[in-house]
Amino acid sequence: MTPATSSVSQPPLNTELPCTKEERRVELYNGNDVPTDPRFVNENTDLGTLNLNWREVDLPQKERTKHVHGLHPYLGKFIPQMVEVFLRKYFRAGQTVFDPFAGSGTTLIQSSELGIHSVGCDISAFNVLLANSKAKTYVMEEVEKDVYDILAKTRAISEPSLFESGSKTDPGEDTGNAYLQSWYAPQALRELLLYRNLIPNYRNQDILKIILSRSARSARLTTHFDLDFPKKPQTEPYYCCKHGRICTPVTTAFKFLQRYSRDTIKRIKQFSHCREDVDLRVIHGDSRFVNPGKIDGVITSPPYVGLIDYHEQHRYAYELLGLKDRSSDEIGPAFKGSSKAAKREYRQLISEVFINSLKYMPSGAPLIVIAGDRHSLYPTIAKTCNLEEVFVIKRHVNRRTGRRSGEFFESVFIWRK
Ligand SMILES: C[S@@+](CC[C@H](N)C(=O)[O-])C[C@H]1O[C@@H](n2cnc3c(N)ncnc32)[C@H](O)[C@@H]1O
């Protein structure tokens, strides 16, 4: 089924949410071309009137990565406003939504803004750490104290002169970790390891681990234009196509620790003003077998076949924090490719996840899946799971930067148990 193109009943989306610029509303209001404003969606909204083809001008990056959504880069995230549309349409405050592929926690964070309880599950320990860090309720004074104290201590003991005089506390000397030794300049690694070793002394350890990971991502010996999946360490100056000049690989990490400390505090504070008091849980596990408890429906974006290695994209965090690697349980990783056999296995495993999720939801409850289904695998998956199709919306995705540039379509499958 394809969406009908009947007239749009809600005001258009503004660049800033919430926003009252009437001129902008008028400019964007153009019949069916008006992108949906999530704030005006409710249970009575006709699915056929939804226009999810937001462009940068409709939904700027600042809004897509608002508050804790921008706590750490994550390739493969769906945009919070799209989740919001379906939460408003299908869920009520006090109900529980499940995301079996929780990733960076977008569904869970958006749900909490609307007073909806949520449970997430993910196979990647780093993603669970990230989602949990976003989800926690913090005592802000404590967080600020921890964040600035560890920063000050790291600065005090990471001065190169200390190590030149033969200090025994230099952690950069004996990591024994080939990945860390090859991807960081000596001073950057020293600073990261000092910070990491201090973390156990603090209460808000998860948030410190996220600041450390984000800094470690930026401090790698890599080019500015290939931060997602750099192939080999960049140790010499290089021509940077992002900045149009010769750039030099970074040698220290402290400036990132400093920058992301401030940014993290700002984002947590922003989120604390719009979250409701809800139950929010992230489980580290394989969604084929997890028990999320009683749920009222699912909203999720599964990994797609042969597209992304979800553990690998945060490899620096696994190496630094010693996180458990469960990449062999990842569904559809890039390293397995998209051969016929890979697609067959993918269909089977995704079906197992949905069949497991369906056990915990009432008959008639929604299962909403957002996927760039270029191999048309999802209609078969729906059949295997005995799901009733309610609607399918095609969405035009307009990407902007780096290796993520290029346009494509993704589908929103709305099914019912
Ligand atoms: C497309 S991403 C989800 C992104 C998420 N919607 C967000 O906005 O951050 C898919 C996620 O599925 C996870 N995943 C892959 N196989 C899994 C499995 N067997 N069980 C649970 N999660 C799995 C990956 O680790 C990845 O985080």
Side-chain angles (χ1 to χ4, degrees), residues 26 33 41 84 116 163 176 185 187 197 233 249 253-254 269 271 286 288 303 317 351 356-357 359 367 403-404 411 416:
V26 173
D33 293 338
V41 174
E84 185 178 345
I116 298 164
F163 301 111
Q187 179 62 15
N197 294 349
F254 192 78
K269 269 188 192 162
F271 181 48
D286 187 330
R288 290 176 298 155
S351 301
N356 181 53
S357 307
K359 287 199 288 202
L367 192 148
R403 60 176 259 150
R404 288 174 248 179
S411 303
R416 221 198 305 262

Side-chain angles (χ1 to χ4, degrees), residues 102-122:
S104 62
T106 311
T107 304
L108 286 73
I109 297 304
Q110 244 359 84
S111 308
S112 78
E113 279 193 18
L114 300 172
I116 298 164
H117 306 301
S118 60
V119 186
C121 176
D122 205 281

Side-chain angles (χ1 to χ4, degrees), residues 69 74-80 83 99-107 121-125 127 130 134 283-290 299-304 308-311 313-314 318 326 329-333 349-350 353 370:
H69 290 301
Y74 177 99
L75 184 59
K77 203 176 349 221
F78 52 22
I79 57 176
V83 187
D99 186 345
F101 301 109
S104 62
T106 311
T107 304
C121 176
D122 205 281
I123 199 68
S124 150
N127 297 348
L130 177 56
K134 293 176 178 180
I283 303 165
H284 183 206
D286 187 330
S287 283
R288 290 176 298 155
F289 313 113
V290 75
I299 300 184
T300 194
S301 67
Y304 203 62
I308 295 175
D309 290 315
Y310 282 95
H311 281 72
Q313 71 164 297
H314 302 121
Y318 282 86
R326 290 191 62 180
D329 294 325
E330 244 184 60
I331 298 177
L349 298 179
I350 293 284
V353 170
I370 293 134

Side-chain angles (χ1 to χ4, degrees), residues 8-261:
V8 176
S9 54
Q10 80 281 351
L13 188 65
N14 292 298
T15 49
E16 288 175 20
L17 301 173
C19 161
T20 54
K21 286 185 187 158
E22 282 309 315
E23 325 83 68
R24 176 134 197 87
R25 288 174 182 235
V26 173
E27 190 186 308
L28 277 174
Y29 193 78
N30 183 24
N32 293 333
D33 293 338
V34 183
T36 296
D37 184 332
R39 295 169 303 165
F40 294 96
V41 174
N42 60 42
E43 60 196 300
N44 300 318
T45 301
D46 178 353
L47 288 167
T49 66
L50 293 177
N51 175 345
L52 309 180
N53 306 316
W54 299 293
R55 302 153 303 170
E56 183 63 21
V57 66
D58 309 315
L59 203 48
Q61 183 171 17
K62 190 166 152 263
E63 287 302 329
R64 302 193 308 269
T65 57
K66 62 181 178 172
H67 54 67
V68 291
H69 290 301
L71 215 54
H72 191 287
Y74 177 99
L75 184 59
K77 203 176 349 221
F78 52 22
I79 57 176
Q81 288 78 6
M82 183 155 49
V83 187
E84 185 178 345
V85 165
F86 294 101
L87 284 169
R88 285 185 186 274
K89 168 81 185 154
Y90 286 107
F91 293 83
R92 306 278 74 79
Q95 289 191 319
T96 302
V97 61
F98 176 47
D99 186 345
F101 301 109
S104 62
T106 311
T107 304
L108 286 73
I109 297 304
Q110 244 359 84
S111 308
S112 78
E113 279 193 18
L114 300 172
I116 298 164
H117 306 301
S118 60
V119 186
C121 176
D122 205 281
I123 199 68
S124 150
F126 178 75
N127 297 348
V128 173
L129 171 70
L130 177 56
N132 266 323
S133 312
K134 293 176 178 180
K136 261 188 200 157
T137 313
Y138 294 99
V139 178
M140 272 330 288
E141 298 74 40
E142 269 184 15
V143 173
E144 289 191 53
K145 200 158 168 273
D146 284 2
V147 166
Y148 290 123
D149 192 73
I150 191 171
L151 203 56
K153 289 208 167 75
T154 303
R155 188 208 287 272
I157 49 181
S158 69
E159 299 294 326
S161 56
L162 277 180
F163 301 111
E164 277 155 22
S165 65
S167 164
K168 290 274 181 285
T169 55
D170 184 350
E173 299 294 319
D174 60 351
T175 61
N177 181 311
Y179 176 93
L180 296 177
Q181 298 287 6
S182 63
W183 280 94
Y184 294 95
Q187 179 62 15
L189 183 56
R190 202 170 278 147
E191 291 159 356
L192 293 170
L193 292 173
L194 277 170
Y195 189 100
R196 180 198 69 183
N197 294 349
L198 288 167
I199 290 178
N201 302 327
Y202 295 90
R203 280 163 297 196
N204 296 283
Q205 294 185 15
D206 283 1
I207 214 68
L208 301 180
K209 286 177 184 171
I210 293 301
I211 294 172
L212 174 70
S213 301
R214 191 173 171 197
S215 307
R217 180 179 187 272
S218 298
R220 284 171 303 171
L221 288 170
T222 167
T223 57
H224 291 135
F225 51 83
D226 197 10
L227 282 163
D228 287 337
F229 290 106
K231 282 160 208 68
K232 60 177 177 44
Q234 178 73 36
T235 51
E236 302 296 326
Y238 58 96
Y239 179 74
C240 177
C241 46
K242 184 172 173 192
H243 298 113
R245 57 179 155 81
I246 301 292
C247 285
T248 313
V250 293
T251 53
T252 72
F254 192 78
K255 64 178 176 186
F256 297 115
L257 288 166
Q258 216 166 13
R259 184 187 305 165
Y260 299 145
S261 295

